[in-house]
Amino acid sequence: MRTTLIAGNWKMNGSLQSVIELVEAIKAGDVNNAQLAVCPPAIYLMKVGGMLEGSRIALGAQNVCDQESGAFTGEIAASMLKECGCQYAIVGHSERRALYQETDELVARRFAMALSSGITPILCIGESLDERESGDTEVVVSRQLDAVIESQGISAIAQCVIAYEPVWAIGTGKVATPEQAQAVHQYLRDKLASLDALVAEQVQILYGGSMNASNAGELLSQPDIDGGLIGGASLKAADFIAIGQSV
Ligand code: PEP
């Protein structure tokens, strides 16, 4: 039985004060049927990690370096994220892939580094609008997933969370319909099942892309959607909590 994960990706938003207020408000929310996680900007991880101690809310990072340590200016090692209390690290977010030219291979190395430090990678995959309109959605998400499976093995997928995030739905207000999202989630699970039925059955596959309090209930009731990766709506505690409560 898969549990539901609702993870907030705060991206590069907020200030120390607003982050403190957001964490306090989320902690006060009453969410019983889902695991909540928040991914603040890296500079606030230590602070938020301290505030979440003793709560049921997990901490996640928005990225992780593909190297263990050394001369990698601006990067953050998985071991450091672990010290801050991170349980999750997002890898391969479409903004990282598009704006910082992260390749499938680099994403796979970041994934591996998270796992080796005991951090659960949240592996983001998803097609652009052009790719969807050319009928290439399955080819693209397969390629992105295969880069990890080929380098880390199918067993690594059992230790991660997959987030299907159609790029055209991220931050655009253009949410995938429940049927569109379910179709890709089912495709991914069937693909995994052809390699390892147990891994396919167990792995959580989240949907991400303009999920909010009004559309979450229907998306989350789809059989292969096991939660959400939430951007914009995770910045308002009431909306984030409402998504958690819609499970
Ligand atoms: C995201 O960036 O992962 C995301 C899903 O953003 P939004 O919810 O704002 O579309």
Side-chain angles (χ1 to χ4, degrees):
M1 175 73 181
R2 296 184 298 272
T3 56
T4 303
L5 173 64
I6 303 294
N9 173 14
W10 295 352
K11 311 192 185 189
M12 196 175 72
N13 289 299
S15 62
L16 181 56
Q17 188 54 36
S18 73
V19 160
I20 290 171
E21 288 167 13
L22 187 51
V23 175
E24 289 299 358
I26 292 172
K27 275 171 68 176
D30 202 13
V31 175
N32 299 310
N33 295 330
Q35 165 75 59
L36 296 184
V38 294
C39 305
I43 190 80
Y44 303 132
L45 281 171
M46 198 78 156
K47 175 73 186 169
V48 175
M51 291 179 73
L52 292 179
E53 258 170 45
S55 82
R56 288 182 55 243
I57 303 165
L59 183 69
Q62 296 177 15
N63 202 359
V64 55
C65 186
D66 66 319
Q67 304 293 323
E68 236 173 72
S69 67
F72 301 100
T73 302
E75 291 287 311
I76 302 176
S79 57
M80 298 170 185
L81 298 177
K82 190 74 184 169
E83 278 184 317
C84 293
C86 286
Q87 194 174 324
Y88 295 100
I90 296 171
V91 297
H93 191 279
S94 66
E95 287 153 15
R96 301 290 321 172
R97 292 179 189 263
L99 303 174
Y100 300 95
Q101 290 77 47
E102 292 197 8
T103 60
D104 292 337
E105 291 68 33
L106 174 57
V107 171
R109 291 200 303 274
R110 293 189 190 278
F111 180 109
M113 204 48 83
L115 266 193
S116 72
S117 286
I119 293 176
T120 303
I122 300 179
L123 172 66
C124 298
I125 58 177
E127 81 288 2
S128 67
L129 187 57
D130 275 358
E131 289 163 340
R132 172 162 283 263
E133 286 175 346
S134 322
D136 287 337
T137 298
E138 293 179 357
V139 174
V140 172
V141 294
S142 266
R143 192 203 70 223
Q144 292 169 329
L145 190 54
D146 283 342
V148 171
I149 297 173
E150 279 159 20
S151 67
Q152 308 306 312
I154 183 68
S155 60
I157 299 297
Q159 301 168 68
C160 85
V161 172
I162 296 170
Y164 167 60
E165 299 206 299
V167 178
W168 48 271
I170 296 180
T172 58
K174 227 193 240 177
V175 66
T177 63
E179 295 72 28
Q180 280 175 321
Q182 166 60 24
V184 180
H185 283 235
Q186 186 176 351
Y187 168 77
L188 291 168
R189 207 177 298 282
D190 289 350
K191 173 184 166 67
L192 293 172
S194 70
L195 300 170
D196 188 317
L198 193 59
V199 169
E201 183 53 36
Q202 288 176 347
V203 69
Q204 287 173 310
I205 309 180
L206 314 185
Y207 168 80
S210 298
M211 190 186 272
N212 59 35
S214 328
N215 59 34
E218 224 190 324
L219 284 160
L220 295 170
S221 65
Q222 300 301 309
D224 289 295
I225 300 185
D226 309 313
L229 182 56
I230 325 291
S234 70
L235 293 169
K236 286 196 187 130
D239 292 356
F240 188 59
I241 291 164
I243 293 171
Q245 287 172 339
S246 71
V247 175

